[in-house]
Amino acid sequence: MPEALPAPGVRVRVLAGRFAGTSSPLTRLLTPLTFLEVPLAPGARVAVDAPRAHTAFVLVVRGGGRVAGTDASDHDALRFAPDGDQVRLEGGPDGLQLLFGE
């Protein structure tokens, strides 16, 4: 899968949709979808586009940190309506690996 490197300590695999100018090779989807794998080093931060009218979700695979201002840790699943046009992600002391969809 193609990867984007938007900030130090951040690597984003674009499984579906687009992120930071990088597109997934999956182009024949029935509905527009963004699906990302996001590993974050400790303290690394990134913002992911998520329009207000959409519902987004995060599944924490490993580690902990903050997702849209909420603490998140191993195996948490968070569903939310973005309060802006981006969702902010931040790796905790052990880093954070998550799946993001909207």
Side-chain angles (χ1 to χ4, degrees), residues 6-97:
V10 180
R11 184 179 70 228
V12 178
R13 289 187 189 100
V14 184
L15 306 174
R18 295 179 50 84
F19 176 79
T22 301
S23 296
S24 166
L26 301 175
T27 58
R28 303 186 105 206
L29 301 174
L30 297 176
T31 41
L33 168 71
T34 299
F35 193 54
L36 310 171
E37 179 188 4
V38 185
L40 298 166
R45 296 176 182 187
V46 67
V48 179
D49 290 341
R52 288 176 197 249
H54 293 195
T55 297
F57 71 90
V58 167
L59 175 62
V60 177
V61 176
R62 181 178 47 212
R66 293 189 58 81
V67 175
T70 301
D71 289 334
S73 60
D74 284 343
H75 311 295
D76 279 350
L78 306 170
R79 179 180 168 264
F80 50 90
D83 59 0
D85 290 324
Q86 294 185 322
V87 174
R88 298 193 186 287
L89 310 172
E90 181 179 350
D94 297 321
L96 174 64
Q97 182 176 2

